[in-house]
Amino acid sequence: MTEIKNLNFGELERWVRQQGWKKFRAGQIAKWIYTKKAGSYDEMTDLSKDIRNFLKENTVLNVLQLITYEQSKEDGSIKFLWRLKDGHTIETVFIPERNHYTLCVSTQVGCAVGCDFCFTTKDGLIRNLSTAEIIDQYIQSQRFVGLEKRISNVVFMGMGEPLANYENVKKAVQIMTDDRMLGLSHRKITISSSGIIHQIKRMYQDSSFPQVRLAVSLNAADQKTREKLMPISETNTLENLMKTLNSLPVKTGYRIMLEYVLIKNVNDRPEDAHRLAKLIGKNKKRYKVNLIPFNPYPGSPYERPEEERVNRFHKILWQYNIGAFVRWSKGKDISAACGQLRKKEITEKVSFITPAGLKK
Ligand code: SF4
């Protein structure tokens, strides 16, 4: 069975031709799936009954099943928990912002990177998500919240390291940015990596990887602290990472985002802020710094800094003229840490629910 959302436009056209159909059928099918977000082949009324039946019998349209969701009363963000065909579960977060909607998607079941502050990685990596499983997070979330709330921004910041699932993520980005498919703006897609140097270089050298924004989890401005927080730093050292980032061909409007999770008494002291500013040095125009106060989860060894500590750190960066902003986590009243709702489902066996009753 072909999972139809695994195919980018060129592959969809080839597949359509293999069935002996005219090429334009690819455009028709893509329009139903990606523009109209059809949930079944029966909705595709401008396709003949024979074609619809063939599609039903030979392809899979939907690859995610909604298990449950939590909606924040504070800010309206929604965390979805989906079941995959093999029974594993993943999360996606829908985030209403001031004037647009953002979706945070997962790229792996679990994660192998092992960041010390991260809930997702506790059970290690289970498997990569397929392109269809990444794309369906967008389509099913959009169907759930209603097409009038168009999700314009996508951040690959959910469960998993996107660049460790390189090919499937690349194809998902191709589908997202193709005007014949989801048609999102390149600038509104952000891939967030823990800093796997060879994969970052590969992405920038790969002409078939659509240009999107890059975010890198820095989390410390010195090797020792970074290594403690992110063991991946032992092989992808801070020095080499910064050297690589400083040499990437970054176009105007595509500044690299340095993500910095602020953890109380670990990396949030004034000297840490000064060190970060020095690390960025003269490359200020190349970066933006995203400060994210740590989101504690049950049993986490770290604490969230108080607002004044966050503001102090922020102010120091501004004094160096470094573009920095604080991202207060959305949905603090729901299972906010990435992977937490999934864990809850595993331990509490949340039952399957339907979207009825969702507060929009
Ligand atoms: S923070 Fe991201 S890269 Fe690090 S372990 Fe968690 S999911 Fe993996």
Side-chain angles (χ1 to χ4, degrees):
M1 292 281 255
T2 304
E3 288 186 358
I4 204 124
K5 290 169 188 159
N6 266 337
L7 308 179
N8 63 22
F9 199 81
E11 290 169 338
L12 182 61
E13 265 185 348
R14 273 197 295 284
W15 185 84
V16 157
R17 295 298 290 267
Q18 277 163 14
Q19 313 319 317
W21 305 336
K22 295 249 165 58
K23 222 163 115 178
F24 75 92
R25 296 287 181 204
Q28 279 181 312
I29 295 170
K31 198 163 180 189
W32 280 108
I33 297 176
Y34 298 106
T35 310
K36 299 187 179 173
K37 320 281 184 300
S40 76
Y41 287 121
D42 289 327
E43 293 171 40
M44 305 184 181
T45 45
D46 59 0
L47 297 174
S48 71
K49 217 168 171 200
D50 283 351
I51 291 185
R52 274 185 272 157
N53 283 341
F54 183 89
L55 287 166
K56 266 193 245 172
E57 283 159 20
N58 296 283
T59 71
V60 179
L61 180 61
N62 302 311
V63 292
L64 302 182
Q65 182 194 25
L66 182 66
I67 302 172
T68 188
Y69 66 87
E70 289 182 351
Q71 183 171 27
S72 164
K73 288 189 185 69
E74 281 175 21
D75 54 44
S77 59
I78 304 170
K79 181 172 268 205
F80 297 105
L81 183 71
W82 314 101
R83 191 176 319 281
L84 311 174
K85 288 257 147 61
D86 59 6
H88 290 305
T89 53
I90 53 160
E91 295 178 357
T92 308
V93 189
F94 169 78
I95 307 158
E97 317 253 16
R98 207 154 21 113
N99 47 17
H100 66 267
Y101 299 102
T102 297
L103 197 70
C104 176
V105 297
S106 294
T107 53
Q108 296 182 309
V109 184
C111 183
V113 172
C115 300
D116 201 35
F117 53 84
C118 173
F119 195 74
T120 296
T121 200
K122 300 295 171 217
D123 297 326
L125 173 68
I126 296 172
R127 71 167 173 86
N128 282 337
L129 295 187
S130 67
T131 297
E133 288 164 338
I134 298 169
I135 290 296
D136 224 11
Q137 292 175 61
Y138 180 97
I139 293 178
Q140 303 275 6
S141 302
Q142 184 72 86
R143 280 172 61 81
F144 191 91
V145 299
L147 299 197
E148 68 286 358
K149 295 184 175 172
R150 183 173 184 261
I151 301 165
S152 56
N153 295 45
V154 175
V155 291
F156 287 75
M157 289 182 187
M159 296 161 58
E161 161 57 59
L163 296 184
N165 183 12
Y166 188 88
E167 292 298 338
N168 293 344
V169 166
K170 174 165 91 172
K171 211 193 280 182
V173 176
Q174 288 170 344
I175 291 171
M176 285 176 182
T177 52
D178 192 322
D179 286 338
R180 300 160 296 183
M181 301 185 112
L182 285 174
L184 301 179
S185 159
H186 290 234
R187 282 171 202 236
K188 294 186 176 171
I189 295 177
T190 304
I191 295 200
S192 175
S193 171
S194 55
I196 306 176
I197 295 171
H198 71 279
Q199 292 293 70
I200 292 175
K201 284 185 183 161
R202 179 178 172 200
M203 178 178 144
Y204 275 79
Q205 284 159 3
D206 184 348
S207 57
S208 61
F209 203 120
Q211 179 163 32
V212 290
R213 289 176 183 270
L214 173 70
V216 175
S217 296
L218 205 65
N219 302 327
D222 65 282
Q223 177 63 22
K224 200 166 153 228
T225 312
R226 191 164 192 269
E227 233 177 83
K228 177 175 163 26
L229 294 175
M230 307 180 74
I232 194 178
S233 198
E234 285 168 30
T235 42
N236 295 266
T237 63
L238 187 59
E239 194 188 346
N240 286 343
L241 178 63
M242 290 311 291
K243 223 186 259 172
T244 303
L245 298 182
N246 285 338
S247 65
L248 293 176
V250 174
K251 284 199 193 144
T252 323
Y254 287 87
R255 280 210 222 180
I256 298 170
M257 186 85 78
L258 297 177
E259 310 244 283
Y260 196 104
V261 175
L262 283 165
I263 303 173
K264 189 173 176 181
N265 289 325
V266 174
N267 62 1
D268 71 334
R269 294 155 303 191
E271 57 267 36
D272 295 309
H274 288 291
R275 220 177 277 139
L276 177 57
K278 284 187 185 119
L279 190 71
I280 293 171
K282 57 180 181 351
N283 290 299
K284 285 174 208 167
K285 290 222 171 90
R286 173 172 284 267
Y287 302 111
K288 266 190 198 164
V289 179
N290 196 359
L291 300 171
I292 310 153
F294 176 65
N295 230 339
Y297 51 84
S300 74
Y302 298 118
E303 281 177 68
R304 185 187 184 93
E306 293 82 17
E307 205 168 326
E308 64 193 34
R309 292 179 74 98
V310 175
N311 290 341
R312 180 179 64 185
F313 197 100
H314 191 193
K315 212 168 143 198
I316 295 172
L317 295 183
W318 273 105
Q319 282 163 358
Y320 283 91
N321 256 331
I322 290 172
F325 58 93
V326 182
R327 197 177 80 209
W328 294 100
S329 310
K330 298 270 181 174
K332 286 207 284 307
D333 55 332
I334 57 177
S335 304
C338 190
Q340 222 178 312
L341 184 57
R342 177 171 168 255
K343 191 74 178 177
K344 209 189 226 179
E345 193 268 343
I346 292 167
T347 51
E348 295 175 15
K349 291 274 172 257
V350 180
S351 55
F352 176 80
I353 56 151
T354 62
L358 171 71
K359 260 177 60 202
K360 290 189 182 168

